[in-house]
Amino acid sequence: MVLPSRTVADGAGRGGAVREPGGAEGVSERPSHVASRLHAFNRFELKYLVPVERAAGIRDELAERMDRDPHSPVGGYGVWSLYYDTPQLRFYWEKIEGLKFRRKLRIRHYGDPGGVTDDVPVCVEIKQRVNRVTQKRRVTLPYGLARRLCDHRELVDHSPRESAFVQEVLELIVRLNLRPTAITGYQREALVGRDADTGLRVTLDRRVRGRDRDFHFGVPTPENRFTIPPHLAVMEIKVNERTPSWITDLTARRNLNLVRISKYVQSVEAFGLAPRSVFHVDESDGPRSAHPHERSARHGASPKAGAQ
């Protein structure tokens, strides 16, 4: 399967097409031992929690004015991310505290993780937030090289164009003593804007799950658990500048409320790696506030199991 495409600006500032992978075929026509070009892009992101039984209707309404991503098959494609953090969970707490500048490091694979080998392309990505703008910078490497870079802290082969970013990743890992912390996975359906809305992208993510061990995409039978209740999907609206008015009308008409939610944060909390925060999604409903004293009382609650 080929990779869902999206237009971004590359490291030199010129327009380019980056594809979100949907399978093991890869993100580049280059040989698997050669890293692809570095890409970077800025976006505003709006997130909503949607009951799964309503998601199909919302998707169909969106499809009246948007196109299905040509590289996104019917039913969507898998997205799996391995997040790195400090032993003290610095990146987690930066999100909880709402710092205006914060970032995360991850390795991301698109498609079925069960067949991932060292030759399969993955994205090494720094996702950061600067005020309200989400910025992503990433380079595509064969999985084996990505693990050598992020797990073994080795400077791997790369092109001159990618040198600054690869060295930044390595410096970040060494300086902050980053280590694998959580894996998240979900099934994504993607739509892209047409005509005047070409900068618009909407994704619907369901079956959000993960694990806090076995940090290898190729684990044969990993034990994943739901980190967001399975009756809820995450809808993300991503725009380059401003949200189209018809999207705003749609969310208002369907009584959708903005949420501050992070799949990485959900994994950290669901597996008891840190006390549950005000952003945690309760098993029975959406995000709820919690008095600080209530957080420790809920700290040991286990998420539902059986999400493979």
Side-chain angles (χ1 to χ4, degrees):
M1 180 172 63
V2 290
L3 316 177
S5 64
R6 51 180 159 186
T7 301
V8 301
D10 67 18
R14 296 182 300 172
V18 169
R19 292 178 174 180
E20 283 189 349
E25 285 76 4
V27 295
S28 171
E29 294 181 357
R30 298 185 179 191
S32 61
H33 65 281
V34 178
S36 69
R37 289 172 56 180
L38 174 68
H39 297 277
F41 50 95
N42 300 339
R43 274 210 180 106
F44 294 96
E45 294 183 353
L46 306 174
K47 298 181 181 181
Y48 303 83
L49 282 175
V50 178
V52 169
E53 66 270 15
R54 296 173 54 193
I58 293 173
R59 178 201 61 210
D60 292 344
E61 183 172 350
L62 289 168
E64 294 176 4
R65 303 188 63 160
M66 300 182 69
D67 296 324
R68 178 181 295 278
D69 189 304
H71 302 286
S72 177
V74 175
Y77 54 96
V79 181
W80 292 87
S81 300
L82 169 58
Y83 287 90
Y84 291 76
D85 209 335
T86 70
Q88 296 77 31
L89 301 178
R90 171 176 174 162
F91 297 159
Y92 165 83
W93 287 112
E94 286 179 350
K95 168 64 176 178
I96 295 302
E97 294 167 5
L99 297 190
K100 290 186 177 181
F101 174 80
R102 56 185 185 266
R103 56 187 168 182
K104 293 191 288 281
L105 173 69
R106 65 192 180 194
I107 297 177
R108 172 162 284 191
H109 168 69
Y110 297 89
D112 180 4
V116 173
T117 65
D118 284 351
D119 294 329
V120 171
V122 297
C123 297
V124 176
E125 180 174 282
I126 292 177
K127 180 179 181 179
Q128 61 191 37
R129 177 94 169 201
V130 181
N131 293 320
R132 295 179 55 245
V133 178
T134 298
Q135 301 177 340
K136 295 181 184 179
R137 292 173 296 135
R138 66 187 182 189
V139 66
T140 302
L141 296 171
Y143 184 45
L145 288 187
R147 294 186 69 193
R148 284 173 51 192
L149 172 64
C150 297
D151 294 344
H152 301 292
R153 305 180 180 189
E154 298 178 10
L155 185 61
V156 300
D157 293 338
H158 58 275
S159 70
R161 178 185 288 275
E162 299 157 348
S163 181
F165 180 74
V166 170
Q167 293 190 49
E168 179 185 353
V169 169
L170 183 59
E171 188 273 339
L172 193 66
I173 292 169
V174 172
R175 178 170 56 85
L176 297 181
N177 189 24
L178 300 184
R179 61 184 185 180
T181 303
I183 283 183
T184 66
Y186 43 89
Q187 194 72 7
R188 166 166 286 182
E189 292 185 88
L191 298 100
V192 293
R194 65 168 78 113
D195 301 327
D197 298 326
T198 51
L200 173 66
R201 181 178 176 86
V202 178
T203 57
L204 286 161
D205 301 334
R206 52 187 171 82
R207 292 181 53 78
V208 182
R209 55 212 190 271
R211 61 185 185 269
D212 62 346
R213 62 201 68 190
D214 297 328
F215 297 127
H216 191 307
F217 289 142
V219 173
T221 55
E223 182 182 352
N224 294 309
R225 295 189 174 190
F226 289 112
T227 55
I228 291 177
H231 65 274
L232 294 174
V234 179
M235 182 174 79
E236 297 184 20
I237 297 172
K238 307 172 186 184
V239 294
N240 293 338
E241 295 182 1
R242 61 181 179 178
T243 307
S245 58
W246 67 269
I247 285 276
T248 304
D249 293 341
L250 182 153
T251 58
R253 183 164 26 83
R254 290 183 173 268
N255 296 316
L256 301 180
N257 297 314
L258 281 170
V259 294
R260 298 174 65 188
I261 191 169
S262 160
K263 298 182 182 77
Y264 171 60
V265 165
Q266 289 298 124
S267 291
V268 168
E269 295 171 354
F271 292 106
L273 304 181
R276 296 192 173 196
S277 75
V278 294
F279 302 130
H280 186 76
V281 177
D282 189 78
E283 287 289 344
S284 59
D285 53 32
R288 53 182 294 183
S289 296
H291 189 278
H293 295 297
E294 295 178 27
R295 298 179 194 168
S296 60
R298 296 206 307 265
H299 176 256
S302 61
K304 295 180 180 179
Q308 295 302 323

